[in-house]
Amino acid sequence: MRLVLVGPPGAGKGTQAQFIAEHLSVPKISTGDIFRANVSQGTPLGLQAKAYMDRGDLVPDGVTIEMVRDRLAQADATSGFLLDGFPRTTPQAQVLDDMLADAGVKLDVVLELVVENDEVIRRLSGRRTCRTCNHIWHVDFDPPADEGVCDLDGGALYQRDDDQAETIANRLEVYAKETAPLVNYYAERGLLIGLDATGPVDDVTQRAIDALRPLQHDF
Ligand code: AP5
């Protein structure tokens, strides 16, 4: 299955991507994770992306598209994938359509995680991420057993630089202007499923799995 997750910052895309990708046995491809890995390794791509990410702006389309093109060309993505955080602009969506058409395949579904802004602000303010495995926790809604330590592998948890209040506000504005139009883009193509992403993480995962089940007989 070829699946895209779309939704505002903090909607729970990364959290759900972990579970849905595992359920579907497809690789999870998160552009945010790839950029953050490059930033922490100090690569040229990371140095280029960092200033945009720190402000909560989008990294330019050209850079992002080439990065995704390389990732989708890897062997594990040839028979399916879950994209988290891409596409995020109409040009990115158009290029993705072209890339898939060139490969003789197409997107199967776009899941939109629907959550109000006040809830995403609560979610982002308490988010903690594992430095080793990237698992996502929340200090109140999904806390690890030991504060600051990942239950899964004992890795140290950190707070993302772009989860400061002013940066969150800018990310929400950028989402409304640049990314929200993709909801119509995919609805017009008959690919969009809107998913209520409020309530406990497990409930949202179950809703997502239920929404995808009718499509799964094709795979
Ligand atoms: P990216 O990492 O993609 O950030 P984002 O889209 O802003 O999304 P987030 O990762 O902040 O949130 P999420 O929806 O994944 O929520 P999460 O599951 O973590 O991108 C970062 C930056 O990289 C961008 O700003 C941009 O600069 C650049 N970039 C990336 N892709 C790009 C692209 N395509 N083009 C250009 N630039 C790009 O959950 C948040 C918190 O809520 C967690 O603590 C979690 O535990 C908690 N939570 C989750 N679900 C629930 C629930 N149901 N109830 C309670 N708490 C919950």
Side-chain angles (χ1 to χ4, degrees):
M1 190 182 285
R2 293 175 182 83
L3 164 77
V4 164
L5 285 188
V6 70
K13 301 182 297 298
T15 301
Q16 294 303 329
Q18 300 170 150
F19 301 121
I20 299 170
E22 195 180 317
H23 176 77
L24 297 174
S25 303
V26 293
K28 166 180 97 89
I29 299 175
S30 159
T31 42
D33 284 352
I34 300 173
F35 281 133
R36 278 185 290 281
N38 278 276
V39 169
S40 70
Q41 290 156 18
T43 67
L45 175 65
L47 294 174
Q48 207 175 352
K50 186 174 181 344
Y52 296 98
M53 296 173 76
D54 285 350
R55 288 194 300 268
D57 288 336
L58 295 182
V59 179
D61 281 344
V63 176
T64 306
I65 287 167
E66 288 319 304
M67 182 180 86
V68 172
R69 193 188 297 282
D70 287 349
R71 180 61 187 88
L72 289 182
Q74 290 176 21
D76 66 335
T78 52
S79 52
F81 53 73
L82 184 158
L83 281 170
D84 160 22
F86 183 93
R88 237 165 158 115
T89 63
T90 304
Q92 290 182 13
Q94 290 165 335
V95 172
L96 178 64
D97 288 345
D98 293 346
M99 274 188 233
L100 296 178
D102 287 347
V105 297
K106 59 180 182 52
L107 267 187
D108 296 297
V109 63
V110 176
L111 267 189
E112 179 199 6
L113 301 193
V114 181
V115 190
E116 296 297 329
N117 276 5
D118 54 352
E119 174 66 9
V120 303
I121 291 167
R122 274 195 292 278
R123 291 183 182 185
L124 292 175
S125 312
R127 171 165 54 192
R128 300 292 183 272
T129 307
C130 176
R131 273 207 193 280
T132 329
C133 70
N134 284 328
H135 188 87
I136 302 161
W137 302 92
H138 191 282
V139 292
D140 299 317
F141 303 138
D142 187 16
D146 290 326
E147 194 183 324
V149 181
C150 180
D151 284 0
L152 302 183
D153 63 3
L157 304 187
Y158 74 99
Q159 185 166 23
R160 275 171 43 176
D161 291 341
D162 59 350
D163 280 348
Q164 309 302 322
E166 323 80 69
T167 320
I168 291 174
N170 187 44
R171 287 162 64 203
L172 288 170
E173 276 180 34
V174 169
Y175 178 80
K177 187 162 166 251
E178 304 282 352
T179 309
L182 292 184
V183 169
N184 274 341
Y185 179 94
Y186 286 121
E188 284 165 4
R189 286 158 179 75
L191 291 174
L192 189 79
I193 297 180
L195 195 77
D196 172 8
T198 58
V201 169
D202 290 350
D203 291 1
V204 180
T205 307
Q206 194 54 53
R207 262 176 241 143
I209 289 170
D210 290 346
L212 294 172
R213 189 167 294 122
L215 300 170
Q216 279 183 268
H217 65 270
D218 295 334
F219 302 94

